[in-house]
């Protein structure tokens, strides 16, 4: 029987390139055959665990040779060929193809999956799987925008060191430490887990067509109004063929108007108002299937069980976070948590936070739900209960701060968080740490809002707004059709806009028609520049380049940098069509990075930020060229 080895190490830095590739390939589907879900051994192949004996053998005498070599146990080679006949490169472990950053991200996921399988005693069982592992594998091979992917803390036990004394390349003067920890309050919640997904206030009216009494004549039907800037002279003859006739709109009664205002088409079969579907999370909470419990380290058995459940949940759902780091924060006596508990002691969701009552804010550390329950609305429900819990437990605390990964920004925005930090920096600086790879966000609670009754509050606001709209709007008034477009009217008759019933009542003037300009659609190049600039501005390393450098903060900057440039200036130039080509846009972006490297020392945080963003721009340009080729 053939024997192969599988690495047991759970540290990405301790793995050799071959070991890392094997771990990634095990959990990635084969791109060559399409049927293999991951690299696995063939029938008759025995896989053993490489628990480090290879290093102990070669560490001392292996490189010099030894008379005892014959007594050493044989070292089987690592598994490198799948039962499907393909290697690690076809199973998502081709670093040259996917890039170093994506390669390391997949390796982090693969290590976390192996850790979970090790806990179950299934590390060498290549056929084993469970919902959590399947969820991690799906996120490993394709991370959706709405999925939260927290970053791994770097040297989180070390103190922050002061940066080298150098000036930034932007107007942001709040200097983050160059050596930042990378713990970000993330969740595995998707952007669809949101309680604010309301239906539109009104939908398009499906117009009723009366039965035709005679066959439709050619050219009859719906008339499209020509552009105002090319309107023919009143009562004159047009030099173009007349368009199809206008169809007279049916008048709507009050009942139809009310239904239209609530988002129901007027010709819908049912007359009942739309019913908001209750989410599964709310149903389970009402029926007692789940409970939301506050948890802290009071050393009571019940609390320790729940805290251990939270630790396990965060470790499974946040694969890029070190396990010991998560455990240390969960069991910290200064941490508090809310846990979603199902049927006793099973933790299926949780939020870990650190309150600072004397400063008036709380820091959200971790936020996650079990992968199998993410579609039930647990995330939005947990955030609402968290806000009300804070209001009850800490009446003077109205602000929340969190560091959100770029993937999580959208989710937190839906929960009321904003990138605009209105809380004075002196209030929170020094109490929460700056973290690399995250965007700081803030949420401020409204005193008059009961967050557990949002649905009713929003419904009342919608009713009030629609009532005001009905009082002021004249959109329900239907004027009779113009006689020039009625059946039997002569062909080729034009209409003066001033004679159109209801047009003057809207405030229309003839000068509006003269000033109208035809909208020019954006070119593919413009779309690319818009997207690239937006991605640059939202990048977690972009903070030094968002605004121009202030001469007051850096007096000698303009003596050294003769052509300053920043992202806000690029945005202004892009909005005013100053970039004729993508090359002009990229040249300005490179100017930003060159200026930064010119002014700042090589070991400064600003120099590193410039290198990171320039690499990002180059990758985007390569992808664009690949798509167009």
């Amino acid at each position: 029987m053939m024997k192969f080895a599988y690495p047991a190490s759970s540290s990405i830095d301790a793995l050799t390139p071959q070991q890392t590739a094997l771990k990634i390939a095990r959990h990635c589907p084969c791109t060559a055959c399409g049927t293999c879900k991951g690299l696995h051994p063939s029938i008759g192949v025995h896989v053993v665990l490489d628990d480090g004996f290879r290093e102990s053998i070669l560490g001392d005498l292996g490189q010099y040779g030894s008379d005892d070599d014959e007594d050493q146990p044989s070292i089987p080679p690592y598994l490198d060929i799948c039962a499907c006949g393909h290697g690690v490169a076809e199973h998502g472990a081709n670093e040259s193809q996917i890039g170093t950053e994506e390669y390391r991200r997949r390796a982090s996921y693969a290590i976390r999956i192996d850790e979970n399988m090790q806990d179950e005693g299934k590390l060498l069982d290549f056929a084993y799987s469970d919902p959590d592992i399947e969820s991690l594998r799906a996120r490993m091979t394709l991370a959706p925008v709405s999925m939260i992917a927290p970053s791994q803390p770097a040297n989180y036990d070390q103190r922050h060191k002061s940066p080298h004394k150098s000036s930034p390349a932007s107007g942001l003067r709040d200097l983050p430490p160059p050596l930042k920890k990378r713990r970000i309050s993330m969740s595995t919640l998707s952007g669809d887990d949101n309680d604010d997904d309301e239906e539109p206030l009104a939908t398009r009216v499906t117009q009723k067509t009366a039965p035709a009494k005679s066959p439709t004549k050619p050219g009859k039907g719906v008339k499209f109004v020509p552009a105002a800037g090319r309107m023919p002279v009143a009562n004159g003859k047009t030099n173009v063929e007349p368009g199809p006739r206008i169809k007279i709109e049916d008048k709507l009664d009050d009942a139809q108007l009310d239904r239209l205002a609530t988002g129901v088409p007027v010709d819908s079969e049912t007359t009942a108002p739309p019913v908001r579907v209750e989410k599964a999370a709310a149903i389970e909470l009402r029926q007692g299937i789940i409970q939301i419990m506050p948890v802290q380290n009071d050393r009571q058995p019940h609390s320790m069980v729940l805290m251990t459940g939270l630790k396990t949940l965060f470790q499974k759902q946040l694969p890029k976070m070190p396990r010991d780091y998560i455990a240390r924060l969960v069991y910290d006596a200064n941490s508090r948590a809310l846990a979603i508990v199902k049927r006793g002691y099973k933790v299926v969701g949780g939020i870990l936070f650190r309150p600072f009552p004397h400063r008036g804010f709380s820091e959200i550390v971790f936020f996650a739900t079990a992968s199998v329950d993410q579609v039930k609305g647990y995330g939005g429900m947990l955030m609402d209960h968290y806000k009300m819990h804070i209001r009850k437990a800490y009446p003077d605390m109205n602000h929340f701060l969190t560091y959100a990964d770029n993937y999580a920004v959208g989710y937190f925005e839906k929960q009321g968080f904003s990138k605009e930090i209105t809380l004075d920096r002196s209030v929170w600086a020094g109490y929460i740490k700056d973290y690399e790879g995250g965007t700081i966000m803030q949420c401020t609670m409204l005193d008059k809002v009961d967050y557990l009754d949002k649905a009713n509050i929003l419904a009342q606001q919608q009713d009030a707004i629609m009532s005001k709209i009905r009082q002021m709007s004249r959109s329900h008034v239907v004027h009779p059709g113009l006689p020039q477009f009625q059946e039997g009217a002569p062909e080729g008759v034009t209409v003066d806009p001033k004679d159109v019933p209801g047009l003057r009542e809207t405030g229309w003037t003839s000068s509006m028609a003269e000033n109208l300009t035809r909208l020019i659609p954006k070119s593919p190049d413009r779309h690319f520049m818009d997207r690239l600039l937006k991605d640059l501005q939202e990048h977690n390393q972009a903070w030094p380049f968002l605004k121009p450098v202030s001469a007051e903060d850096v007096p000698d900057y303009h003596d050294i940098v003769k052509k300053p440039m920043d992202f806000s200036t690029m945005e202004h130039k892009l909005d005013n069509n100053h970039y004729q080509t993508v090359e002009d846009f990229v040249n300005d972006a490179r100017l930003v990075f060159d200026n930064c490297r010119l002014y700042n020392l090589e070991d400064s945080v600003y120099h590193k930020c410039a290198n990171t963003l320039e690499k990002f721009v180059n990758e985007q340009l390569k992808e664009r060229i690949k798509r167009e080729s």
Side-chain angles (χ1 to χ4, degrees):
M1 177 179 293
M2 297 184 63
K3 182 182 294 186
F4 291 91
Y6 187 81
S9 175
S10 59
S11 172
I12 189 172
D13 295 326
L15 294 172
T16 65
Q18 183 184 10
Q19 294 171 335
T20 304
L22 174 55
K23 282 184 174 288
I24 295 175
R26 175 179 181 176
H27 304 292
C28 287
C30 181
T31 58
C33 62
T35 57
C36 175
K37 295 183 178 181
L39 190 142
H40 59 284
S42 304
I43 299 176
V45 172
H46 180 59
V47 180
V48 297
L49 193 64
D50 176 8
D51 56 0
F53 64 84
R54 181 185 304 264
E55 288 75 16
S56 64
I57 294 173
L58 301 180
D60 298 327
L61 302 177
Q63 55 182 322
Y64 304 109
S66 171
D67 294 337
D68 297 330
D69 282 348
E70 296 180 357
D71 298 331
Q72 299 289 355
S74 60
I75 306 172
Y78 286 110
L79 183 66
D80 57 353
I81 297 297
C82 179
C84 69
H86 301 105
V88 295
E90 290 81 11
H91 286 79
N94 190 340
E95 183 175 3
S96 61
Q97 181 180 6
I98 63 178
T100 302
E101 184 176 354
E102 173 65 14
Y103 188 82
R104 288 186 64 87
R105 188 189 71 82
R106 292 189 180 187
S108 299
Y109 272 87
I111 290 173
R112 178 51 52 89
I113 296 172
D114 279 0
E115 288 176 344
N116 291 346
M117 298 184 74
Q118 180 71 42
D119 292 343
E120 301 293 335
K122 301 290 185 178
L123 183 57
L124 296 182
D125 186 352
F126 284 76
Y128 176 78
S129 182
D130 61 33
D132 289 327
I133 290 177
E134 290 300 324
S135 175
L136 290 174
R137 283 173 174 168
R139 290 155 52 195
M140 171 183 173
T141 54
L142 178 61
V145 174
S146 60
M147 196 70 71
I148 314 307
S151 300
Q152 178 174 341
N155 300 327
Y156 53 81
D157 286 326
Q158 297 181 0
R159 295 179 178 270
H160 292 310
K161 299 180 180 179
S162 300
H164 193 284
K165 186 176 181 181
S166 60
S167 299
S170 81
L172 294 179
R173 301 298 92 175
D174 293 333
L175 177 63
L179 294 180
K180 300 179 180 180
K181 298 181 181 179
R182 298 193 64 182
R183 189 258 302 161
I184 307 168
S185 55
M186 295 296 101
S187 80
T188 55
L189 304 172
S190 72
D192 295 335
D193 182 15
N194 175 30
D195 289 338
D196 297 328
D197 49 353
E198 300 291 341
E199 294 294 329
L201 295 180
T203 56
R204 183 177 60 186
V205 179
T206 305
Q207 301 195 4
K208 301 177 181 178
T209 304
K213 296 182 180 180
S214 60
T216 305
K217 298 179 181 181
K220 308 288 184 180
V222 179
K223 166 94 174 147
F224 296 95
V225 181
R230 295 180 285 113
M231 188 71 70
V233 181
N235 300 326
K237 297 292 184 179
T238 180
N239 57 357
V240 297
E241 295 183 2
R245 304 290 188 179
I246 288 181
K247 175 183 170 297
I248 299 177
E249 185 181 17
D250 295 333
K251 295 183 179 181
L252 306 181
D253 56 29
D254 291 340
Q256 290 174 319
L257 290 174
D258 291 338
R259 295 173 60 200
L260 178 60
T262 56
V264 180
V266 296
D267 56 352
S268 177
E269 294 295 332
T270 176
T271 59
V275 178
R276 183 178 177 83
V277 179
E278 189 176 18
K279 289 198 172 184
I283 296 175
E284 292 183 3
L285 183 64
R286 176 165 44 82
Q287 295 177 349
I289 298 176
I290 60 175
Q291 301 178 50
I292 298 180
M293 300 180 178
V295 187
Q296 69 180 81
N297 190 357
D298 55 7
R299 301 187 180 278
Q300 297 298 317
H302 179 265
S303 299
M304 298 304 293
V305 170
L306 294 181
M307 291 174 62
T308 302
L310 284 170
K311 174 187 69 73
T312 303
L313 174 70
F314 293 143
Q315 288 176 344
K316 283 188 175 182
Q317 298 301 321
L318 307 178
K320 299 178 75 175
M321 301 293 291
R323 290 186 160 197
D324 56 343
Y325 183 65
I326 292 177
R328 183 165 65 86
L329 289 174
V330 171
Y331 292 117
D332 191 337
N334 295 320
S335 297
R336 302 289 185 269
L338 283 184
I340 303 179
V341 183
K342 178 179 288 187
R343 295 189 178 91
Y345 292 97
K346 182 181 179 181
V347 177
V348 295
I351 179 171
L352 186 74
F353 62 95
R354 296 173 59 202
F356 298 94
H358 60 294
R359 310 299 292 180
F361 77 94
S362 171
E363 178 194 13
I364 297 178
V365 182
F366 299 132
F367 192 21
T369 63
S371 55
V372 296
D373 296 315
Q374 289 174 6
V375 297
K376 297 181 179 180
Y378 282 5
M381 179 189 68
L382 181 59
M383 181 63 75
D384 291 336
H385 279 266
Y386 165 71
K387 293 175 181 178
M388 296 307 294
H389 171 75
I390 292 293
R391 176 174 294 173
K392 181 179 179 180
Y394 309 96
D396 297 329
M397 187 186 299
N398 292 318
H399 306 281
F400 312 132
L401 291 175
T402 186
Y403 268 89
D405 186 273
N406 287 337
Y407 293 108
V409 168
Y411 171 79
F412 279 106
E413 284 179 340
K414 293 178 181 179
Q415 301 302 326
F417 286 75
S418 171
K419 297 179 184 178
E420 182 179 358
I421 309 302
T422 60
L423 196 62
D424 191 87
R425 183 177 177 84
S426 61
V427 174
W428 56 269
Y431 289 86
I432 66 174
K433 302 177 181 66
D434 293 323
Y435 297 103
E436 181 183 358
T439 301
I440 188 170
M441 302 187 73
Q442 174 186 325
C443 176
T444 300
M445 287 195 296
L446 302 176
D447 294 334
K448 296 183 179 180
V449 175
D450 181 356
Y451 291 95
L452 298 183
D453 194 33
K454 285 194 310 183
N456 290 333
I457 294 176
L458 294 174
Q460 293 175 13
Q461 290 179 336
Q462 177 178 316
D463 291 341
I465 292 173
M466 297 310 303
S467 177
K468 291 292 184 181
I469 290 176
R470 285 193 292 268
Q471 293 176 12
M472 301 173 60
S473 174
R474 306 293 297 171
S475 61
H476 60 281
V477 177
V478 180
H479 296 277
L482 296 172
Q484 292 89 337
F485 301 106
Q486 302 299 321
E487 295 290 341
E491 300 287 345
V493 179
T494 59
V495 180
D496 189 336
K498 296 189 293 295
D499 297 333
V500 177
L503 186 57
R504 288 185 175 180
E505 288 79 355
T506 64
W508 182 88
T509 61
S510 58
S511 61
M512 294 181 180
E514 298 172 359
N515 296 332
L516 283 178
T517 57
R518 186 176 182 182
L519 296 177
I520 302 176
K522 291 183 179 180
S523 66
D525 287 350
R526 176 59 187 271
H527 279 293
F528 174 76
M529 290 186 287
D530 284 335
R531 182 181 61 82
L532 179 56
L533 181 59
K534 183 175 183 295
D535 291 342
L536 284 173
Q537 291 172 325
E538 294 180 352
H539 198 283
N540 54 55
Q541 300 291 319
W543 55 270
F545 315 112
L546 297 177
K547 299 293 182 182
V549 175
S550 172
E552 296 179 358
D553 297 330
V554 192
D556 64 338
Y557 182 80
H558 295 282
D559 296 335
I560 299 175
V561 177
K562 303 302 181 182
K563 294 182 179 180
M565 184 56 60
D566 61 276
F567 291 161
S568 64
T569 302
M570 292 178 61
E571 183 178 10
H572 174 77
K573 294 178 67 174
L574 187 59
D575 292 340
N576 290 275
N577 300 316
H578 290 177
Y579 294 119
Q580 300 299 321
T581 64
V582 174
E583 183 179 1
D584 295 338
F585 175 85
V586 173
N587 288 339
D588 268 358
R590 298 194 189 282
L591 180 60
V592 174
F593 312 138
D594 291 341
N595 289 343
C596 176
R597 288 188 287 257
L598 174 64
Y599 186 85
N600 297 285
L601 298 178
E602 185 174 355
D603 60 347
S604 67
V605 63
Y606 310 105
H607 198 283
K608 296 177 182 178
C609 288
N611 291 340
T612 300
L613 285 185
E614 186 173 42
K615 180 181 178 182
F616 174 78
V617 171
N618 292 336
E619 291 174 351
Q620 296 300 309
L621 292 174
K622 289 180 181 178
E623 291 181 5
R624 182 172 185 262
I625 294 174
K626 187 181 299 184
R627 288 194 301 267
E628 293 178 351
S629 60

